[in-house]
Amino acid sequence: MRNPLPPVPGKLLELEVSDDLRRGTPLATLIAAPSEEDGDAGLAEIGGVRPTGKTGDVQTVPTGGVRWLAGVGDGEPKQYRKAGAALVRAVSSALEEDVKAGQKAFRAFAVELPEDAGAEHIEELTFGLLLGGYRFTVTAEDPKPGLRTVRLITRHEHAAVAVERVRELAAAAAFARDLANTPSNIKTPAWLADTAARVSGGIPNLTVTVRDEKWLAEQGFGGVLAVGGGSAAPPRLIELEYRPRGATTHLLLVGKGITFDTGGLSIKPADGMHLMRTDMAGGAAIIAAVRAIAALRLPVKVTGLVPAAENHVSGSSYRPGDIVRHYGGKTTEVGNTDAEGRMVLADALVYGIKKHKPDAVIDAATLTGAMKVSLGVRTGGVFATDDALAERVTKAGERVGEAWWRMPLLEDLAETVQGSLGDVRQAPGGPGGIVAALFLREFVGDVPWAHLDIAGPARADKTYADVVPGATGFAARTLVELVASYS
Ligand code: BES
Ligand code: ZN
Ligand code: ZN
């Protein structure tokens, strides 16, 4: 029987850049909203349709050369991402309609860019086109004929270069979405590790090492083993090493890889528990980012570490009140087994810093529900021991369209994570996102460190910009861009 799961990573649309129209390919054109000079009547009609020019509006033209008009509002680059995403969705449904009506499916379409569109506009449009039509479905049905190619019609001299970079960034986001969307009955820690190894194969200077539970026990990864101990699917540690020749800076990226979070014995309520299949979204962002960094051949040494475990309920689950010994020896008093992310990250941070002596460390994790309350679901929280690093993360995010907000590591609260029975206290109460970050800080020492809490933006329940409901791939693009900023 055919496995109904889609291939991971899935295929992105092919992109072509060209300065001429090819006859027969359905064509879309981008239209800015009417300005004052256009007067009350607005924009001139095209094929009997009066364009609105509103961002996100896609109008169908029944006759003539152009089939779709996609509004770009005030024409700012940001609007191009929304327009690209709305357009690709509209074109895909038009294709479906064509097929339903018994017509031959077109597999390519072209988008004509305005003369004055710059590199940034092209990049934004490309993000929208590549990611806006993202879908992940598990079905017994045969795959429907879909879009294969989009051609950008532009004379911009840097278009091809800009598009190539964006394609790699979009591929990272889409791959991170695929990993996080994969259901947890498939996505065991071993599956995640095997998939990371498989997709990294053949990329120059990139190697992936997978450690099993036996190795983790020998090395003393008490946090990973405690969390993973309740599951029939044993934990793994995924280590991705990208070693370009001549690079001097070395960055360590660590991602939470909880393949499902039941909460453990401190079990979560049934409502919403299914969403915890994306609790490895931080790890997914890191696997996808390291792959893209290597594919782009960025001249920076990067190590990715993903402690992968399933937080489950059984006779071998860890318990509230347990004292766990992490890699390196520090002990944690467990207060709540649902605070499992910090348990696995603590081991990986100590191990990665000791082994690799990186110049800076960045971790990404769907760590706390509190973060979702603080910043909502479209902005990630950045905690950092280093102002310059925090600034780099935020700026990298701006360049790729991911929003970050700096959060404080409040010194007043530092003592709440100090233990009495053990060295540190895992879940002492207080402002959840901050306390979790302070807990992690106990394991990083002096190296510049940034902690990205993406519990909010890692998933979406609405369609917006280039995001569709489900996993968003948030942080993957920021991480690639962050690493690029060191080159
Ligand atoms: N995976 C959750 C955090 C989460 C919540 C992510 C909602 C995405 C959406 C994490 O493991 C967790 O359960 N954290 C607890 C910690 C608490 C027990 C100290 C939380 O935030 O409630
Ligand atoms: Zn949890
Ligand atoms: Zn969790």
Side-chain angles (χ1 to χ4, degrees), residues 261 268 338-340:
D261 183 9
K268 285 184 181 296
D338 198 9
E340 82 297 337

Side-chain angles (χ1 to χ4, degrees), residues 99-454:
V99 172
K100 257 192 227 151
Q103 290 170 35
K104 199 169 159 287
F106 57 89
R107 309 307 293 270
F109 77 108
V111 190
E112 191 179 25
L113 280 104
E115 281 294 323
D116 58 355
E120 223 184 305
H121 294 89
I122 297 172
E123 291 176 5
E124 290 292 322
L125 180 72
T126 307
F127 272 131
L129 289 168
L130 290 182
L131 292 170
Y134 175 90
R135 267 199 271 177
F136 186 94
T137 44
V138 182
T139 168
E141 281 175 32
D142 286 331
K144 294 199 190 85
L147 275 176
R148 225 181 263 150
T149 308
V150 51
R151 190 172 306 126
L152 302 182
I153 313 293
T154 170
R155 286 179 207 286
H156 195 284
E157 53 174 348
H158 299 304
V161 176
V163 160
E164 195 42 42
R165 178 182 147 274
V166 168
R167 206 182 56 77
E168 216 46 81
L169 288 164
F175 177 34
R177 289 180 186 182
D178 289 340
L179 290 173
N181 281 329
T182 297
S184 300
N185 52 337
I186 301 290
K187 184 174 52 191
T188 58
W191 180 92
L192 187 63
D194 291 348
T195 304
R198 176 169 57 77
V199 302
S200 305
I203 301 178
N205 304 320
L206 179 60
T207 54
V208 177
T209 310
V210 176
R211 314 290 193 177
D212 64 8
E213 70 275 26
K214 200 167 148 261
W215 184 92
L216 291 165
E218 283 161 10
Q219 298 290 319
F221 280 67
V224 178
L225 291 166
V227 172
S231 171
R236 294 287 182 267
L237 178 71
I238 309 165
E239 187 161 3
L240 305 105
E241 291 173 274
Y242 170 56
R243 299 288 181 269
R245 215 165 295 148
T248 49
T249 307
H250 187 171
L251 302 175
L252 173 65
L253 310 179
V254 182
K256 171 175 172 180
I258 298 299
T259 57
F260 193 76
D261 183 9
T262 65
L265 293 177
S266 316
I267 196 163
K268 285 184 181 296
D271 286 353
M273 194 198 278
H274 62 287
L275 302 175
M276 286 300 125
R277 73 170 181 212
T278 58
D279 206 23
M280 35 52 73
I286 274 149
I287 294 167
V290 176
R291 192 191 161 278
I293 288 159
L296 287 164
R297 297 171 183 265
L298 298 180
V300 183
K301 263 201 244 179
V302 178
T303 299
L305 274 180
V306 179
E310 184 178 42
N311 190 23
H312 220 314
V313 190
S314 78
S316 54
S317 295
Y318 78 133
R319 293 155 285 256
D322 281 359
I323 297 188
V324 169
R325 185 180 183 279
H326 292 280
Y327 182 91
K330 205 169 260 189
T331 58
T332 289
E333 264 175 69
V334 177
N336 186 319
T337 61
D338 198 9
E340 82 297 337
R342 65 198 76 178
M343 298 297 292
V344 302
L345 289 171
D347 283 352
L349 286 165
V350 176
Y351 167 77
I353 293 167
K354 178 170 173 241
K355 177 171 174 195
H356 297 288
K357 305 192 172 45
D359 297 297
V361 184
I362 299 97
D363 76 68
T366 48
L367 206 61
T368 65
M371 208 59 226
K372 239 176 128 165
V373 177
S374 309
L375 297 178
V377 293
R378 298 193 190 185
T379 303
V382 188
F383 297 85
T385 53
D386 184 279
D387 294 345
L389 181 57
E391 170 98 0
R392 256 185 207 268
V393 171
T394 314
K395 285 270 147 57
E398 274 170 22
R399 291 195 293 278
V400 295
E402 292 182 334
W404 296 98
W405 194 260
R406 179 107 184 245
M407 296 290 296
L409 286 158
L410 297 174
E411 286 309 330
D412 285 353
L413 295 171
E415 68 190 30
T416 67
V417 298
Q418 299 308 316
S420 50
L421 279 172
D423 298 321
V424 276
R425 196 185 301 257
Q426 177 223 25
I434 298 172
V435 167
L438 289 168
F439 173 90
L440 292 178
R441 192 177 66 169
E442 296 294 318
F443 296 88
V444 289
D446 296 331
V447 60
W449 163 70
H451 156 60
L452 314 181
D453 192 335
I454 57 168

Side-chain angles (χ1 to χ4, degrees), residues 4-23:
L5 271 182
V8 173
K11 252 178 104 59
L12 284 187
L13 280 182
E14 302 280 339
L15 272 169
E16 293 174 3
V17 178
S18 168
D19 57 8
D20 75 333
L21 297 170
R22 197 171 304 165
R23 291 237 314 252

